[in-house]
């Protein structure tokens, strides 16, 4: 005679496998880190990728106080651009990971103090991008909800420049002058806080900051989800 529950155990195991298979059909995405269904990367795993980093110079990425740019606005990063973070950003950008960008914004805003700015300004999407969404804007929108700061799309790319994440060597270290400009809707004295997903060379944020300043705005700082390791900040080389 079978022990109590003995006959039902195999049936339950089959049922569980069937349910998991059905869920994988219904939910085409799942977190690559923990396997949670229905999310390309879950919020808990993103939070686990965060790292406490010191503020750094928006203009060059060096630790503050910066000897080269004494009056440059500070920038904050919530994580280091490597390993799992690199994978999460790749999924966000190239596998329709809108929800990842939204979660990054909430987590970023929860980590850093509310900036004293009139608005958050996301770095614009590159011209000719295959994406129909701007991940920097999605990050800014959810951060803005937490901080209760409006988001304003004030910047645009004027040139079709290579994507920073896809370029290497000297091409990655240069950006043509005037690559980014404002759209002419900037009130005098506006205080802006820049938002982007990744800080690598700083070229994009620097161009965004210059465009805003040339239009009469001020930039009080910036925040990014992730930044590259650099020796000058004590984060390795």
């Amino acid at each position: 005679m079978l022990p109590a529950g003995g006959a039902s155990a195999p049936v339950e195991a089959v049922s569980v496998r069937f349910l998991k298979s059905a869920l994988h059909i219904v939910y085409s995405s799942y977190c690559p880190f923990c396997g949670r269904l229905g999310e390309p990367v879950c919020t808990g795993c993103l939070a686990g990728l965060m790292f406490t980093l010191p503020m750094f110079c928006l203009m060059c990425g060096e630790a503050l106080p910066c000897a080269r740019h004494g009056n440059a606005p500070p920038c904050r990063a919530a994580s280091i651009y490597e390993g799992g973070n690199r994978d999460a950003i790749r999924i966000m950008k190239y596998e329709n990971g809108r929800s990842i960008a939204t979660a990054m914004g909430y987590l970023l805003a929860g980590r850093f103090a509310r900036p004293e700015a009139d608005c958050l300004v996301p770095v614009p999407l590159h011209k000719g991008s295959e994406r129909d969404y701007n991940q920097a804007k999605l990050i800014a929108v959810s951060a803005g909800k937490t901080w209760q700061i409006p988001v304003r799309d004030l910047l645009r790319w004027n040139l079709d420049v290579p994507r920073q994440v896809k370029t290497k060597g000297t091409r990655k270290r240069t950006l043509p002058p005037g690559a980014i400009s404002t759209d002419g809707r900037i009130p005098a004295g506006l205080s802006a806080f820049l938002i982007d997903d990744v800080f690598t060379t700083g070229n994009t944020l620097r161009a965004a900051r210059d465009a805003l300043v040339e239009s009469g705005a001020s930039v009080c700082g910036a925040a990014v989800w992730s930044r590259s390791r650099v020796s000058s900040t004590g984060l390795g080389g």
Side-chain angles (χ1 to χ4, degrees), residues 31 41 63 77 88 99 107 109 112 121 124 126 133 136 157 167 174 178 190 195 197 208 220 224 226 228:
C31 178
V41 177
S99 62
L107 290 168
F112 303 138
V121 179
H126 283 277
Y133 61 94
W157 284 95
T167 53
T174 60
L190 182 77
I195 299 288
D197 56 343
C220 64
V224 298
S226 197
S228 299

Side-chain angles (χ1 to χ4, degrees), residues 173-192:
R173 297 189 178 95
T174 60
L175 195 63
I180 296 178
S181 67
T182 63
D183 62 2
R185 297 180 294 134
I186 299 181
L190 182 77
S191 175

Side-chain angles (χ1 to χ4, degrees), residues 10-222:
V11 175
E12 290 174 356
V14 171
S15 298
V16 169
R17 288 197 297 270
F18 176 79
L19 178 60
K20 288 183 176 181
S21 299
L23 286 172
H24 274 288
I25 294 172
V26 174
Y27 298 106
S28 58
S29 61
Y30 60 93
C31 178
F33 303 111
C34 70
R36 183 174 180 177
L37 298 169
E39 298 186 53
V41 177
C42 71
T43 303
C45 288
L46 281 176
L49 297 172
M50 299 178 80
F51 197 88
T52 301
L53 303 173
M55 286 191 292
F56 55 94
C57 175
L58 182 148
M59 302 298 288
C60 67
E62 295 192 5
L64 296 178
C66 178
R68 289 191 292 163
H69 308 101
N71 297 319
C75 188
R76 298 297 304 264
S79 63
I80 298 173
Y81 183 58
E82 64 181 19
N85 244 315
R86 189 186 297 269
D87 293 337
I89 289 170
R90 175 186 55 78
I91 296 169
M92 176 184 68
K93 286 186 172 183
Y94 307 116
E95 297 183 22
N96 197 28
R98 290 176 171 86
S99 62
I100 299 175
T102 298
M104 285 178 175
Y106 285 121
L107 290 168
L108 185 149
R111 173 62 61 93
F112 303 138
R114 181 186 187 277
E116 296 299 321
D118 297 322
C119 62
L120 305 182
V121 179
V123 167
L125 191 66
H126 283 277
K127 292 181 68 175
S129 174
E130 297 175 357
R131 287 192 301 281
D132 59 357
Y133 61 94
N134 179 2
Q135 73 280 353
K137 184 175 181 179
L138 293 175
I139 294 171
V141 167
S142 52
K145 290 178 180 177
T146 301
W147 284 332
Q148 296 187 332
I149 301 176
V151 175
R152 298 191 60 178
D153 256 331
L154 299 176
L155 300 172
R156 65 169 180 261
W157 284 95
N158 294 320
L159 302 175
D160 186 6
V161 298
R163 292 175 294 183
Q164 293 291 295
V165 74
K166 290 292 188 179
T167 53
K168 296 181 179 180
T170 57
R171 292 181 63 202
K172 191 171 183 178
R173 297 189 178 95
T174 60
L175 195 63
I180 296 178
S181 67
T182 63
D183 62 2
R185 297 180 294 134
I186 299 181
L190 182 77
S191 175
F193 188 83
L194 290 165
I195 299 288
D196 202 3
D197 56 343
V198 181
F199 184 104
T200 50
T201 64
N203 286 333
T204 302
L205 278 177
R206 184 165 53 248
R209 178 261 179 194
D210 291 346
L212 288 166
V213 170
E214 289 171 6
S215 297
S218 64
V219 175
C220 64

